[in-house]
Each structure stands twice: as C-alpha cells, then as structure tokens.
C-alpha cells in the first residue's frame, strides 16, 4: 500500500492524532490514508460520551473492548482517526465530536466540507497570547 502524502486540512504537515490509544489506518498514530482505505479514516476526532453512544447505536461500537484485536475500547477524551463519512453522519444528527484540524488528513475534504470541520475544531491555545 502506498501512503498518501501526510498533509492536513489546513495545508500543513499532518500532526499525530493519538498514540494511546494507537489509531490510524496504518496504526501509526496519524490519520494517514491511501487508496485502500475505503473508510477514509481521516478525521482526528475527540471522543465524547454522546458521540460514542451514537456510534454504538448506528452499529459502529467504538467503546466496547475487543481484546482479540488488541482494542481496549474508546472513552470520552480519547482521540481517534474516524471515518470521514461517520463524522459527516454524526454532524447531520447533531452529535459530531470535536476535531483536531492539524491532525485531520486533507483527504477528508473529499467527504466533509472544511467549514463543517472548522465549526467542530478544538480550540488550541494561542502561543502568542
């Protein structure tokens, strides 16, 4: 598999999403992607209880541990490379999680408009303030 260039939705280098829990299509902690990533695991989302309950309700249980796959289950506050279409679906339902833009892959823009991602962006402190 040939990985796409690691560019975020803002045009910069792709920041890590999470090493604990380890996320990413390539399980490298980044929302890197490639043409084989049909789910487009490109949105670095911050889990909330509301989103995890919604995700479980629609059949994509991210909170239940699956030890056979080395998956401890996600909890509120965890960051995860979420499928772009799942983010869009949750946004349409009013329960989209927050997004780390610098860690969200540019390929997410093929599915989710940038203004929608920006409206759910986590607020990072201004280092110059």
């Amino acid at each position: 598999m040939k990985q796409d260039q690691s560019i975020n939705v803002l045009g910069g280098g792709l920041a890590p999403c999470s090493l604990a829990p380890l996320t990413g299509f390539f399980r490298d902690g980044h929302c890197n992607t490639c043409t084989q990533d049909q789910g487009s695991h490109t949105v670095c989302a911050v889990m909330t209880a509301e989103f995890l309950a919604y995700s479980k309700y629609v059949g994509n249980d991210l909170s239940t541990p699956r030890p056979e796959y080395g998956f401890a289950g996600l909890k509120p506050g965890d960051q995860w490379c979420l499928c772009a279409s799942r983010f869009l679906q949750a946004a349409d339902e009013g329960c989209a999680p927050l997004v780390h833009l610098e860690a969200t892959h540019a390929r997410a823009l093929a599915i989710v408009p940038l203004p929608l991602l920006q409206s759910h962006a986590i607020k990072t402190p201004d280092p110059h303030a």
Side-chain angles (χ1 to χ4, degrees):
M1 290 186 281
K2 186 174 187 309
Q3 185 176 299
D4 288 2
Q5 198 171 9
S6 297
I7 303 293
N8 68 39
V9 294
L10 303 174
L14 190 64
C17 183
S18 177
L19 296 174
L22 185 60
T23 190
F25 181 75
F26 291 97
R27 290 298 186 257
D28 62 359
H30 293 74
C31 295
N32 283 307
T33 190
C34 65
T35 54
Q36 289 84 0
D37 178 11
Q38 294 185 0
S40 189
H41 297 82
T42 52
V43 176
C44 182
V46 180
M47 298 295 105
T48 64
E50 179 184 34
F51 174 76
L52 288 169
Y54 168 78
S55 189
K56 190 173 189 174
Y57 174 74
V58 297
N60 185 36
D61 185 2
L62 297 172
S63 59
T64 300
R66 299 290 306 264
E68 67 272 25
Y69 298 113
F71 182 69
L74 300 178
K75 61 188 180 313
D78 286 342
Q79 291 192 169
W80 192 253
C81 293
L82 188 62
C83 293
S85 59
R86 182 71 70 200
F87 173 83
L88 187 59
Q89 181 184 25
D92 287 344
E93 296 291 332
C95 59
L98 292 176
V99 174
H100 182 203
L101 294 176
E102 292 82 2
T104 295
H105 198 282
R107 190 162 157 203
L109 298 175
I111 298 168
V112 183
L114 182 58
L116 181 58
L117 289 169
Q118 290 172 320
S119 72
H120 289 83
I122 58 173
K123 307 299 183 222
T124 54
D126 183 351
H128 304 293

